[in-house]
Amino acid sequence: MHHPDAPLQLDAERPLPRHIAIIMDGNGRWARQRGLPRHAGHREGVKAVRSAVEQCRLLGVEVLTLFAFSSENWKRPQQEVGLLMELFMSALRKEVRRLRRNGIRLRVIGERSAFGPRLQQQMVEAERATAAAEGMILQVAANYGGRWDIVQAARQLAVALAAGELRAEQLDEARLGAALSFADLPNPDLLIRTGGEQRISNFMLWQAAYSELYFTSILWPDFDQAALLAAVVDFQQRQRRFGLTGEQVVSASSLSDGGGGQ
Ligand code: IPE
Ligand code: IPE
Ligand code: MG
């Protein structure tokens, strides 16, 4: 635990998370507390996104994944879903230049076919426009669900099996992992959830197997750079053991949870 009076400081001796994933929760409550409609909270949340992206880039984080819309969020009132889609559209359109300028490559993960054709097109264009960037990767999880991800991977393997390209005995963690979304990237080292709930809500079920979990009651629109720094400082103070003993970890130089395909 961090001492409450000590200034928040990164430890230059300890590794930073290579991949940070964030469940951005609490927009609705943020708005309600101010007597505003829920969408005002989503709108305000876009500013927190901008701030987190900028800070992660400056920290040298390799991948930032933001959970923007879950496969279950379709069940919300139609008006709220519609406003979220509009917000995606305008954010993709407006942010591309900033992303390019900062060398950030955008990727959208999730079942995209459920979105309207214009939004799908906007996603393709934003990805294309930032494809050459060599800095941080920003993944936006939209209509993403951890169960969906495992099912889509299983379906790919079933097709390979039926085609005789894969035998059942060959199926192992590496093969299933390689068929998941973003198998080419490291698994999240640090998984943050804002808004006070302590649950995964069907986010990365497979890839977060060894993520360090960090829950904060701060509502997403209030999640500022000090709050993100606090999460990273907390992460640096953890000992990741991956099933080993603490002593084994101390004698090993560095440990990390590699990509989904490993
Ligand atoms: C998270 O904030 C954003 C999305 C799920 C799209 P919420 O809208 O869930 O906010 P709360 O949890 O109702 O406060
Ligand atoms: C999780 O938040 C999904 C996103 C942040 C996009 P929810 O607000 O949908 O989660 P629950 O319903 O409280 O579990
Ligand atoms: Mg919520």
Side-chain angles (χ1 to χ4, degrees):
M1 272 299 289
H2 185 79
H3 190 275
D5 298 327
L8 276 173
Q9 248 180 349
L10 293 172
D11 185 339
E13 305 292 308
R14 286 167 157 267
L16 286 166
R18 294 177 63 194
H19 182 172
I20 297 180
I22 309 182
I23 301 175
M24 309 183 290
D25 195 24
N27 294 349
R29 279 163 285 165
W30 183 93
R32 209 170 49 213
Q33 283 173 4
R34 287 161 178 77
L36 298 170
R38 293 178 55 85
H39 68 81
H42 297 315
R43 236 175 269 286
E44 193 67 19
V46 176
K47 296 181 195 165
V49 167
R50 226 174 264 137
S51 145
V53 169
E54 176 64 2
Q55 191 179 10
C56 285
R57 180 180 74 84
L58 293 173
L59 283 170
V61 168
E62 292 167 47
V63 188
L64 172 64
T65 303
L66 300 174
F67 199 12
F69 192 85
S70 78
S71 39
E72 289 71 35
N73 288 146
W74 295 107
K75 297 178 205 156
R76 292 190 177 196
Q78 206 188 323
Q79 191 202 10
E80 179 169 346
V81 172
L83 281 160
L84 281 166
M85 296 303 142
E86 274 177 39
L87 212 53
F88 278 148
M89 282 288 283
S90 71
L92 285 171
R93 204 170 44 236
K94 287 186 201 152
E95 300 301 320
V96 162
R97 275 171 66 201
R98 188 195 310 267
L99 296 176
R100 279 174 70 117
R101 193 164 61 235
N102 291 322
I104 297 170
R105 177 148 47 111
L106 181 84
R107 265 198 199 182
V108 180
I109 57 167
E111 176 59 70
R112 288 151 69 138
S113 62
F115 293 115
R118 280 174 55 238
L119 182 51
Q120 287 190 50
Q121 184 59 27
Q122 196 80 50
M123 288 171 174
V124 169
E125 278 167 24
E127 286 179 333
R128 201 177 287 146
T130 61
E134 291 183 339
M136 187 174 81
I137 293 173
L138 171 62
Q139 294 197 111
V140 175
N143 193 20
Y144 178 87
R147 290 175 179 169
W148 165 81
D149 203 356
I150 293 169
V151 169
Q152 68 80 21
R155 195 179 299 127
Q156 289 180 49
L157 296 168
V159 168
L161 206 95
E165 294 157 14
L166 179 70
R167 283 179 292 115
E169 314 82 73
Q170 291 174 312
L171 184 52
D172 57 10
E173 289 189 17
R175 283 199 196 251
L176 182 58
L180 292 165
S181 301
F182 67 91
D184 53 329
L185 302 178
N187 285 320
D189 301 293
L190 172 60
L191 173 56
I192 299 171
R193 182 175 186 140
T194 65
E197 312 298 349
Q198 303 196 358
R199 55 176 171 252
I200 299 290
S201 298
N202 195 20
F203 197 30
M204 303 170 173
L205 297 179
W206 176 286
Q207 299 91 334
Y210 268 104
S211 301
E212 294 298 326
L213 307 181
Y214 182 88
F215 298 104
T216 170
S217 59
I218 298 173
L219 304 174
W220 176 250
D222 291 330
F223 191 75
D224 59 10
Q225 303 209 338
L228 179 56
L229 183 63
V232 175
V233 167
D234 192 281
F235 169 85
Q236 286 198 309
Q237 288 161 359
R238 311 234 186 136
Q239 185 189 47
R240 303 185 77 189
R241 289 191 283 275
F242 301 101
L244 307 183
T245 67
E247 291 75 19
Q248 285 176 299
V249 172
V250 170
S251 60
S253 52
S254 105
L255 288 170
S256 76
D257 186 23
Q262 292 174 27

